[in-house]
Amino acid sequence: MATAGGGSVADPGSRSLLRLLSFCALLAASISGDTGVIHVVEKKEDLQWVLTDGPNPPYVVLLEGTLFTRDVMEKLKGRSGRIAGLAVSLAKPSPASGFSPSVQCPNDGFGIYSDSYGSQFAHCKAFQWNKVGDGLAYEDFSFPIFLLEDENETNVIKQCYRDHNLSPNGSAPAFPLCAMQLFSHMHAVVSTVTCMRRNLIQSSFTISPEVVCDPLSDFNVWSMLKPINTSRMLEPDDRVVVAATRLDSRSFFWNVAPGAESAVASFITQLAAAEALQKAPDVATLPRNVMFVFFQGETFDYIGSSRMVYDMEKGSFPVQLENIDSFVELGQVALRNSLELWMHTDPMSQKNETVLNQVEALLSTLEQSSAAVPTVVLRRLNQSQPLPPSSLQRFLRARNVSGVVLADHSDSFHNLYYQSIYDTAKSINVTYPAGQSPEEDLNFVTDTAKALAGVATVLARTLYQLAGGASFRDTIQADPHTVTRLLYGFLVRANNSWFQSILRPDLRSYLGDGPLQHYIAVSSPTNATYVVQYALANLTGKVLDLTREQCQNPSQVPTENKDLYEYTWVQGPLNANETDRLPRCVRSTARLARALSPAFELEQWGSTEYSTWTESRWKDIRARIFLIASKELEFITLIVGFGILVFSLIVTYCINAKADVLFITPREPGSVSY
């Protein structure tokens, strides 16, 4: 019925309280549920009833999505004693002025810029990247907040309100009234430091510890253009070009993270680029390798990228920092104006002349690769402009790398729904003709798919050149059909014929009838992570003529090597009669790497170097509606019930005291003689 708000906590460290507050809307919820009379707020004037005029507080407010703003929420927060909870309905259409509950300076303090390095760029002093961000997801509310995603259920609640709570002329409605109870009690306490310490204490002294919170964690997805032996490190002189993007997003509400522009468009573009590059005839002979990385948890202070850098520094990852030749990252790329794609670089690292020359060569390569792609126009920025929030920043903290971030914005985001529930397929203009079947929608090439295929072509050609290729650059072309199927699967309907064909049989249930969500969570790998891994494997891998047993245990086959490749038995496409699937073995270099903040391995739960986000545990999140009587009737019922109890006790006492009179024991019959 509903999705609760909040759910994540993190230690604020010495920076700000923002990292602490996003879970408090749930933590403050009563363990027995929060109950209030329903009041529908469809315009700002309706707030007066719940804030001051209404005679029957507390209230559960059913708030129209267009009113879910910081201004309204602060008014409700100021009268929290009269508010038992909040249920928010989706705004249709999405708010035209935009809505982003994130902050205006995302990931502040965890990138490359700080008060001691690039202080002129720290804390977004140059400009705010997310101008529409109001920081609502980082505020503390003392009542639970639910999202109503089902319009039919919203209508049921409104009908109950109209039948019982709506009275003419603003007079007090007559009892019984329609009420709502919200269950969303969280077990976590105060901050990451406190709840992780309690976890440790319980696990140390209790056989069955009750864990109260878990670190946000999942897996990064990565692959190599040419296979490498993952059981050992690359040689220092092996050069690798990194192509990176992020997998995750978030919103105000738990596990509702469509992330169309925030994440999905960029990682789909990179998947299409990986497929196009793999088809180049001479990839096996290129002097440099290419690593495709899809970072998980970047929304929460760069969890995935900081972990990969940490593993590279500790020698726990086959590619080392010194192996990185150049770094190309895709930021938000789906909302371009006039075909423009902007090349963002770091001004601080370019103070080093060697890095400056490398970055200049990188930008020139990008421009050359885009020259023959009419749908993409690359633009340079002033060298004094800082990088936007990006994974590249975490690598630059560890080593000067020649890198670039490609994005559809030159300064502030074009995305008006950054990290919100409205960052959906429609927000990036992914629409389909009416009357088509799901299979027809899956294969319908949208204008957005064509545009992203152009960006993927530029990326693939650039990576080819950076890897040392020259002969086949202009023949590399991303497939719009691949892009459109990925867009449909991730943003519209995950349970489709193509996604089913690329997954293992045991993962079929991971695909629902709606879009996939891209919240990192704590149970991993998440559905989206699995799908990205298998999409990458199927787009870049090779189908082998192996049995299921051989595929699952390739060491039985002399020509195969599990240190070089991953082997996956997938369901495969439908047969000619569309009655059964044709399973097959796919060999690829697509792998998973842990995306857990190093802070939790180091037990530095108050770290300001690494992300410390955790998620509270809970038992139940649900809601129900029912009718309640007036306080007077409840009091009378209580008094009558108490009176009946007292009367019954008196009667019982009297009966017990006179039992020998009231209940005469019959005499035993005497003996009879004859």
Side-chain angles (χ1 to χ4, degrees):
M1 175 179 180
T3 302
S8 298
V9 301
D11 190 282
S14 60
R15 299 189 310 107
S16 71
L17 287 174
L18 294 181
R19 298 290 182 261
L20 168 67
L21 301 179
S22 62
F23 82 109
C24 291
L26 290 183
L27 184 60
S30 168
I31 194 170
S32 58
D34 296 86
T35 304
V37 175
I38 295 173
H39 189 76
V40 176
V41 175
E42 296 178 327
K43 53 186 184 297
K44 286 189 176 182
E45 290 75 14
D46 297 335
L47 288 170
Q48 192 67 25
W49 184 265
V50 296
L51 296 177
T52 56
D53 296 348
N56 303 302
Y59 290 94
V60 170
V61 178
L62 178 55
L63 189 69
E64 287 296 313
T66 52
L67 295 177
F68 188 53
T69 62
R70 188 179 185 90
D71 176 55
V72 170
M73 292 303 295
E74 285 183 344
K75 290 180 180 179
L76 295 174
K77 181 179 178 179
R79 299 302 303 272
S80 56
R82 292 179 58 87
I83 309 298
L86 189 66
V88 182
S89 62
L90 281 172
K92 294 182 180 179
S94 302
S97 59
F99 172 72
S100 173
S102 183
V103 291
Q104 294 187 344
C105 190
N107 293 14
D108 183 27
F110 288 88
I112 187 174
Y113 308 118
S114 65
D115 293 333
S116 59
Y117 183 85
S119 58
Q120 66 271 37
F121 307 124
H123 316 303
C124 297
K125 290 178 183 176
F127 45 80
Q128 303 295 329
W129 291 106
N130 182 31
K131 280 190 175 180
V132 297
D134 60 12
L136 196 60
Y138 297 80
E139 284 296 321
D140 175 21
F141 298 97
S142 59
F143 46 82
I145 304 171
F146 278 42
L147 173 67
L148 299 174
E149 297 182 88
D150 191 322
E151 190 172 353
N152 292 328
E153 292 180 341
T154 302
N155 291 333
V156 169
I157 298 172
K158 287 184 176 181
Q159 188 61 49
C160 185
Y161 165 78
R162 286 190 289 265
D163 291 343
H164 299 280
N165 299 2
L166 193 60
S167 58
N169 304 321
S171 58
F175 286 92
L177 299 177
C178 187
M180 191 172 189
Q181 189 173 28
L182 307 176
F183 297 89
S184 59
H185 181 70
M186 293 283 133
H187 296 170
V189 288
V190 185
S191 67
T192 288
V193 173
T194 304
C195 74
M196 291 300 293
R197 186 170 61 242
R198 292 192 179 185
N199 285 351
L200 181 63
I201 293 172
Q202 291 216 35
S203 61
S204 300
F205 298 101
T206 309
I207 297 176
S208 300
E210 183 179 347
V211 177
V212 294
C213 67
D214 302 279
L216 294 186
S217 66
D218 195 13
F219 288 86
N220 298 323
V221 180
W222 69 283
S223 73
M224 303 298 295
L225 182 63
K226 297 184 292 182
I228 62 172
N229 191 326
T230 57
S231 64
R232 59 172 182 260
M233 302 297 110
L234 290 181
E235 295 298 326
D237 57 349
D238 290 334
R239 309 306 293 163
V240 175
V241 179
V242 177
T245 190
R246 66 172 57 189
L247 279 180
D248 69 305
S249 185
R250 68 165 297 183
S251 74
F252 185 89
F253 300 96
W254 179 81
N255 205 30
V256 182
E261 164 75 339
S262 304
V264 177
S266 57
F267 74 65
I268 283 176
T269 302
Q270 183 157 296
L271 286 169
E275 179 192 34
L277 181 57
Q278 195 73 46
K279 293 178 180 178
D282 60 341
V283 291
T285 61
L286 294 176
R288 288 179 284 277
N289 211 337
V290 177
M291 180 170 74
F292 293 95
V293 190
F294 302 79
F295 289 117
Q296 184 64 272
E298 297 302 272
T299 298
F300 295 95
D301 300 330
Y302 306 121
I303 292 174
S305 56
S306 63
R307 178 53 185 261
M308 181 164 284
V309 170
Y310 176 81
D311 287 342
M312 286 179 172
E313 291 176 325
K314 300 299 181 184
S316 303
F317 192 77
V319 179
Q320 304 298 290
L321 286 171
E322 54 265 28
N323 295 126
I324 298 176
D325 183 79
S326 52
F327 196 107
V328 182
E329 180 173 354
L330 287 180
Q332 301 178 64
V333 295
L335 297 176
R336 290 182 291 144
N337 291 334
S338 304
L339 310 179
E340 292 177 331
L341 194 64
W342 297 88
M343 300 183 289
H344 297 259
T345 59
D346 170 46
M348 297 299 296
S349 59
Q350 291 182 71
K351 291 180 179 180
N352 181 305
E353 187 175 353
T354 301
V355 176
L356 175 64
N357 294 333
Q358 291 172 343
V359 171
E360 177 62 32
L362 175 56
L363 299 183
S364 297
T365 301
L366 276 160
E367 290 168 340
Q368 294 167 19
S369 300
S370 66
V373 183
T375 57
V376 179
V377 177
L378 286 177
R379 300 290 190 198
R380 295 196 183 204
L381 289 162
N382 191 308
Q383 283 191 353
S384 63
Q385 182 168 314
L387 282 171
S390 53
S391 306
L392 174 58
Q393 293 200 33
R394 290 302 302 194
F395 283 80
L396 287 170
R397 281 177 72 130
R399 184 183 179 88
N400 274 347
V401 178
S402 61
V404 62
V405 177
L406 302 178
D408 55 23
H409 54 90
S410 59
D411 40 53
S412 298
F413 299 157
H414 290 168
N415 185 5
L416 296 178
Y417 308 109
Y418 180 72
Q419 294 180 4
S420 84
I421 54 179
Y422 303 112
D423 191 8
T424 61
K426 287 184 178 180
S427 72
I428 60 170
N429 304 314
V430 175
T431 57
Y432 301 91
Q436 288 191 160
S437 66
E439 195 67 22
E440 289 172 328
D441 285 346
L442 172 66
N443 294 291
F444 178 78
V445 180
T446 62
D447 290 339
T448 300
K450 295 175 184 176
L452 293 178
V455 177
T457 297
V458 172
L459 176 61
R461 292 180 180 182
T462 300
L463 296 173
Y464 177 76
Q465 279 192 266
L466 292 173
S471 304
F472 300 96
R473 185 194 70 184
D474 293 338
T475 65
I476 296 174
Q477 188 74 39
D479 187 357
H481 288 89
T482 295
V483 177
T484 207
R485 288 190 297 178
L486 289 166
L487 284 170
Y488 181 80
F490 281 106
L491 295 178
V492 181
R493 184 185 176 91
N495 189 13
N496 60 74
S497 60
W498 188 59
F499 272 14
Q500 287 285 1
S501 71
I502 66 175
L503 289 182
R504 297 195 320 246
D506 60 305
L507 298 179
R508 286 177 296 181
S509 61
Y510 280 41
L511 303 178
D513 290 334
L516 287 168
Q517 302 300 325
H518 302 282
Y519 170 63
I520 177 175
V522 296
S523 57
S524 55
T526 61
N527 299 9
T529 300
Y530 268 131
V531 176
V532 170
Q533 181 194 8
Y534 287 107
L536 181 62
N538 281 265
L539 291 172
T540 62
K542 181 180 180 181
V543 176
L544 301 180
D545 186 19
L546 298 179
T547 65
R548 181 170 185 167
E549 290 71 24
Q550 290 173 325
C551 189
Q552 293 175 340
N553 188 13
S555 58
Q556 298 175 352
V557 184
T559 57
E560 301 302 328
N561 189 334
K562 199 166 177 61
D563 289 333
L564 296 179
Y565 298 101
E566 285 285 310
Y567 299 82
T568 309
W569 186 258
V570 301
Q571 294 188 98
L574 292 169
N575 61 16
N577 298 326
E578 297 189 354
T579 55
D580 295 300
R581 292 194 174 273
L582 304 173
R584 55 193 185 182
C585 183
V586 176
R587 185 186 71 185
S588 74
T589 62
R591 293 179 170 91
L592 299 178
R594 191 67 174 161
L596 170 68
S597 173
F600 297 101
E601 287 205 355
L602 300 171
E603 295 189 0
Q604 296 176 358
W605 304 317
S607 173
T608 56
E609 169 69 16
Y610 298 112
S611 168
T612 55
W613 286 91
T614 56
E615 180 183 278
S616 173
R617 288 200 177 186
W618 65 88
K619 288 185 178 179
D620 199 14
I621 292 181
R622 59 189 174 91
R624 64 184 183 123
I625 59 173
F626 51 90
L627 298 180
I628 59 171
S630 66
K631 298 294 183 183
E632 291 79 6
L633 181 57
E634 289 178 348
F635 182 74
I636 292 172
T637 303
L638 175 65
I639 295 301
V640 171
F642 183 75
I644 292 174
L645 173 63
V646 172
F647 177 75
S648 63
L649 291 174
I650 293 173
V651 170
T652 302
Y653 173 80
C654 294
I655 292 175
N656 185 63
K658 301 296 182 179
D660 56 335
V661 177
L662 297 173
F663 307 105
I664 301 174
T665 303
R667 296 179 180 178
E668 293 184 3
S671 58
V672 179
S673 58
Y674 295 93

